[in-house]
Amino acid sequence: MTLRLGLTGDVMLGRLVDEQQLARVPGAVWGDMLDRLQTLDGLCINLECCLSARGQQWRRTRRTFHFRATPDWAVPALEAAGVDCCALANNHVLDYEEPALLDTLDELDDAGIPHAGAGRTESAALEPAFFPVGDRTVAVVSLTDNTPEYAATATTPGTAYVEIDVDDAETRRTVETALGQARSRDPDLLIVSLHWGPNMETEPPEAFQQFAHWLVDDGVDVIHGHSAHVFQGVEVYDGRPILYDTGDFVDDYAVDPSRRNDRSFLFELSLTPSGSPAELRLYPTEIADFAVHEASDEAASWSRERMRSLSEPFGTAFDRAGEALVCALGG
């Protein structure tokens, strides 16, 4: 039986999304994508906000934006979509300081939603998340190179922070520690979710490509990138998908008219009986009314063409299946 695992870019449920959702049912934030999300056998997102009604805005260093969602609707919304794992290593999980981060961890724990990338200490932040997809086990390691002041320490809460540099001894030690913990339970699929790089960049730098290749060479099955707010090209390296950036899935951000950060995809992996990725399907999405929707014909056409163009330098070619782009993997 083929199992399907969905991956999304940034899910930011604060600010205007939060305001709108206080007057809507929790599942409304997923728009007409809700049915598709619910049919997946697994779903992993980057949660780009904290879940809390506590805390004060981070002022220790300059921060322009602060994202916080009301747990009373946000947690039921995650449950409604069938979210199985939240990557938390990003530059917003501490926007309302430690109390809100700790609430986020507790809210997800109480809901039984595994998470990785942030914790009460550095060792906790590096702990992988595990969740089942059918009868297979998926492990997720979540890391970020954003906002070093949010990094967890041996005694303080924060994120799993690394420099994206394969030659940096501290980075290699940190990543190997996290991967070793993930492998300790012999998962069928190992994902590294990376919140890396600056905003609005349409191509990954050479250092990111080297880092992704190093991870695959070290046994990682899927690279799940995000942070740029716009999707980047897909590379298939040694049969493993490298999603350099999955863009934005839902938020309230201003839209760049050329880079179109309101457009992206639901990235769907089909898994072999052994749990390896066999096929990648990209379903076009767009954000409107502070919710995610299936892309309009015009938006879908634009996104498919742009993804093909951005992926071509990596030697990645896509076929078309209905509204989706399809790419065979190594299996």
Side-chain angles (χ1 to χ4, degrees):
M1 180 180 71
T2 299
L3 295 176
R4 296 157 48 236
L5 170 63
L7 299 166
T8 79
D10 294 356
V11 172
M12 199 292 287
L13 304 178
R15 293 195 318 189
L16 297 178
V17 177
D18 189 59
E19 289 182 18
Q20 292 293 313
Q21 279 296 125
L22 292 175
R24 302 191 296 201
V25 297
V29 74
W30 311 116
D32 58 9
M33 290 295 295
L34 182 60
D35 288 346
R36 184 175 295 280
L37 295 175
Q38 291 175 333
T39 66
L40 294 168
D41 299 293
L43 178 60
C44 179
I45 67 169
N46 173 55
L47 184 62
E48 186 83 340
C49 62
C50 52
L51 306 176
S52 180
R54 298 196 304 150
Q56 60 184 0
Q57 291 185 354
W58 178 281
R59 298 297 187 193
R60 303 172 208 175
T61 53
R62 184 180 181 276
R63 298 287 294 162
T64 304
F65 303 114
H66 301 84
F67 302 152
R68 177 177 62 177
T70 304
D72 287 350
W73 74 263
V75 173
L78 297 176
E79 295 173 322
V83 172
D84 292 287
C85 181
C86 292
L88 298 180
N90 58 57
N91 57 316
H92 288 289
V93 76
L94 255 175
D95 279 355
Y96 283 80
E97 298 192 342
E98 288 84 355
L101 169 57
L102 298 179
D103 283 351
T104 303
L105 302 176
D106 290 341
E107 292 286 352
L108 294 174
D109 286 342
D110 290 346
I113 300 174
H115 53 84
R120 287 170 168 78
T121 62
E122 181 185 22
S123 61
L126 289 172
E127 290 179 3
F130 298 91
F131 63 95
V133 175
D135 60 355
R136 297 156 217 179
T137 300
V138 176
V140 176
V141 170
S142 175
L143 306 167
T144 185
D145 73 338
N146 284 195
T147 317
E149 60 265 40
Y150 280 12
T153 71
T155 58
T156 61
T159 61
Y161 175 84
V162 295
E163 296 284 348
I164 305 299
D165 182 356
V166 296
D167 296 321
D168 182 79
E170 181 67 16
T171 290
R172 295 178 74 94
R173 181 199 65 78
T174 300
V175 174
E176 290 293 355
T177 296
L179 294 181
Q181 292 183 86
R183 293 192 183 100
S184 68
R185 288 177 51 177
D186 193 25
D188 299 295
L189 189 79
L190 175 53
I191 299 172
V192 173
S193 192
L194 292 164
H195 201 71
W196 54 356
N199 295 345
M200 307 309 287
E201 294 292 332
T202 59
E203 298 175 1
E206 178 63 29
F208 285 20
Q209 297 176 55
Q210 293 174 357
F211 196 78
H213 290 185
W214 171 62
L215 290 172
V216 173
D217 289 340
D218 202 23
V220 173
D221 296 300
V222 181
I223 307 300
H224 172 217
H226 33 84
S227 178
H229 298 307
V230 292
F231 62 81
Q232 297 176 357
V234 170
E235 180 178 8
V236 180
Y237 176 73
D238 197 21
R240 297 300 189 256
I242 300 174
L243 315 178
Y244 281 107
D245 205 291
T246 46
D248 289 348
F249 199 62
V250 61
D251 56 47
D252 69 348
Y253 305 153
V255 177
D256 185 287
S258 61
R259 291 180 173 86
R260 296 310 304 245
N261 49 296
D262 58 334
R263 297 174 177 177
S264 188
F265 300 89
L266 170 65
F267 296 77
E268 184 181 301
L269 286 169
S270 296
L271 306 181
T272 67
S274 66
S276 297
E279 181 185 78
L280 175 65
R281 289 188 175 232
L282 278 57
Y283 292 92
T285 62
E286 64 180 325
I287 301 166
D289 300 322
F290 312 108
V292 60
H293 302 277
E294 296 178 6
S296 66
D297 290 345
E298 184 274 330
S301 177
W302 183 93
S303 293
R304 285 191 296 265
E305 186 62 29
R306 186 166 182 81
M307 177 56 80
R308 283 184 162 129
S309 175
L310 292 171
S311 300
E312 185 177 9
F314 300 115
T316 306
F318 289 96
D319 294 322
R320 175 86 178 270
E323 291 301 302
L325 292 176
V326 183
C327 177
L329 305 172

